[in-house]
Every structure is written in C-alpha cells, then in structure tokens.
Amino acid sequence: MRRLVGLNFARLRREKGFTQERYAEISGVTQQYVSDLERGLRNPTVVTLFHLASALGAKPVDLVAEIEEG
C-alpha cells in the first residue's frame, strides 16, 4: 500500500508540473518527506493523505486507487 500511494502521488505531482521541491514549498512538508513518500518509505495517516491530495487538487482516494495497466 505504501508503494501504491507513492506511485500515485508521484504521478499526480508530475501531472501538476510540480518538482518535489516546489510541492514541498506549497504543501508545508519537507522535500525529504516527499522523496520518502514516493519511494514507499512513509506510511501517511488518513489526515496526511487528505492534506497531500488537497495540495495537488486531488481527492485522497486518488492516492490509494489501484493503478490501471495500459
């Protein structure tokens, strides 16, 4: 699940055109947190998922949705 959240987060962040550094600036988390999250090393709480998604203009469910192959 951590890896899935990380992959979804990285995809959404790139789609919005944010670097890890820029996302960290606008969201209030550190760049290290963003890096760890994307590598599946963080286990964000439900509240953190809400804040992470909100800063991307996404819904928390978008971070835990299964990735469709294709």
Side-chain angles (χ1 to χ4, degrees):
M1 182 55 70
R2 286 189 306 257
R3 184 72 181 135
L4 177 62
V5 169
L7 290 170
N8 282 332
F9 176 83
R11 177 181 49 79
L12 291 168
R13 178 185 57 76
R14 286 190 303 267
E15 285 176 3
K16 293 293 183 179
F18 293 133
T19 62
Q20 288 184 351
E21 292 81 7
R22 179 66 182 130
Y23 179 83
E25 289 173 8
I26 65 163
S27 68
V29 299
T30 66
Q31 186 274 329
Q32 185 64 55
Y33 185 90
V34 173
S35 176
D36 289 349
L37 180 71
E38 291 185 1
R39 291 183 292 134
L41 301 177
R42 292 289 181 153
N43 191 21
T45 65
V46 173
V47 172
T48 301
L49 286 175
F50 174 79
H51 291 294
L52 292 168
S54 295
L56 291 170
K59 297 177 183 173
V61 69
D62 296 332
L63 296 174
V64 296
E66 290 289 332
I67 299 172
E68 293 183 23
E69 299 294 325

